[in-house]
Amino acid sequence: MTTNDKQIVRDYFNSVGFDRWQRIYGDGEVNRVQKDIRVGHQQTVDKLLGWLKDDGNLASLTICDAGCGVGSLSLPLAAAGARVFASDISEKMTNEAKSLATDPDNPKFTVGDLAALTGEYDTVICLDVLIHYPLEEAEAMIAHLGSLAKSRLILSFAPYTPFYGGLKKIGEFFPGPSKATRAYLHPEKEIKDMMARAGFRVKRETMTSTRFYFSQMLEGLRW
Ligand code: SAH
């Protein structure tokens, strides 16, 4: 089951998912729905950069960006002076991110399942990845990512509410023929409990929603 979910996600982001998401996360022409998702995702990224910049110590941090995609977060973090270790299960997404980097050594990119990540980082970040996995798998991922984080774990997920659950917005997220993976919405309480079990209490949190994009981001600090 675990392997299967991951294979499906990896195959998706190495094929139709790559084509779709590198366009959404890029800056070329996109359709109205993709534009809306692009704007929403950028808001999440900007809020996170805002948090880290407000702290005033970004340039002294080591950061692990797990599921880095095309580098929407890793690249600005590296540009701001953080030492960034970025990885993604999709070789295509990682290669695209690498091609956009200006410094060949920072971020340092690797391809692989985040479950195989090792090392210790001041801050571990995992944005808009948990939506691809059911709750049990999310728990294992949060526990593992937490074990790599010296002081902070930041993640985002698509919150389950009767409103979002009822509206089939998610059909727009992975629409039509390119629907090669499904989206999982997670109850906020479950994710917070998982963070607590991994050793983190939530300090800052924010919800971002546009018409077709919604993502809740939590910053957990070690107790
Ligand atoms: N975090 C990035 C990309 C989000 S898209 C951002 O916010 O811009 C989700 C990404 O997660 C995809 O690039 C996908 O390949 C990656 N991903 C999915 N499952 C993963 C896993 N188990 N390990 C590492 N990366 C994964």
Side-chain angles (χ1 to χ4, degrees), residues 126-190:
C126 186
L127 276 197
D128 293 0
V129 175
L130 297 178
I131 187 170
H132 300 293
Y133 296 95
L135 208 53
E136 317 81 73
E137 212 141 326
E139 168 120 51
M141 291 171 120
I142 290 171
H144 181 64
L145 292 173
S147 76
L148 310 173
K150 281 193 251 182
S151 56
R152 176 164 62 183
L153 174 62
I154 299 175
L155 49 84
S156 71
F157 62 100
Y160 178 83
T161 66
F163 178 70
Y164 288 134
L167 281 177
K168 293 264 190 287
K169 280 195 173 187
I170 219 68
E172 294 287 350
F173 220 70
F174 302 103
S178 68
K179 193 172 182 150
T181 177
R182 60 161 294 191
Y184 297 88
L185 309 188
H186 300 310
E188 174 185 340
K189 181 169 185 318
E190 300 278 354

Side-chain angles (χ1 to χ4, degrees), residues 9 13 25 41 67 69 72 88-89 93 113-114 127-129 133:
V9 172
F13 280 104
Y25 294 149
H41 173 260
S72 311
D88 198 284
I89 201 168
M93 296 293 272
D113 181 354
L114 62 83
L127 276 197
D128 293 0
V129 175
Y133 296 95

Side-chain angles (χ1 to χ4, degrees), residues 35-161:
K35 180 74 198 297
D36 175 89
I37 296 171
R38 176 189 285 174
V39 167
H41 173 260
Q42 190 59 46
Q43 285 175 14
T44 296
V45 169
D46 288 344
K47 286 182 194 178
L48 179 44
L49 290 171
W51 283 354
L52 300 193
K53 286 179 180 167
D54 284 350
D55 290 341
N57 63 347
L58 184 48
S60 68
L61 297 182
T62 52
I63 297 180
C64 169
D65 184 13
C68 64
V70 296
S72 311
L73 180 68
S74 280
L75 297 172
L77 285 175
R83 181 82 187 98
V84 181
F85 298 84
S87 72
D88 198 284
I89 201 168
S90 158
E91 186 169 14
K92 276 203 162 187
M93 296 293 272
T94 314
N95 283 343
E96 176 72 9
K98 216 184 273 182
S99 78
L100 299 171
T102 48
D103 178 340
D105 299 319
N106 191 29
K108 183 176 183 306
F109 290 102
T110 52
V111 179
D113 181 354
L114 62 83
L117 285 172
T118 56
E120 276 205 318
Y121 314 86
D122 297 315
T123 297
V124 175
I125 302 177
C126 186
L127 276 197
D128 293 0
V129 175
L130 297 178
I131 187 170
H132 300 293
Y133 296 95
L135 208 53
E136 317 81 73
E137 212 141 326
E139 168 120 51
M141 291 171 120
I142 290 171
H144 181 64
L145 292 173
S147 76
L148 310 173
K150 281 193 251 182
S151 56
R152 176 164 62 183
L153 174 62
I154 299 175
L155 49 84
S156 71
F157 62 100
Y160 178 83
T161 66

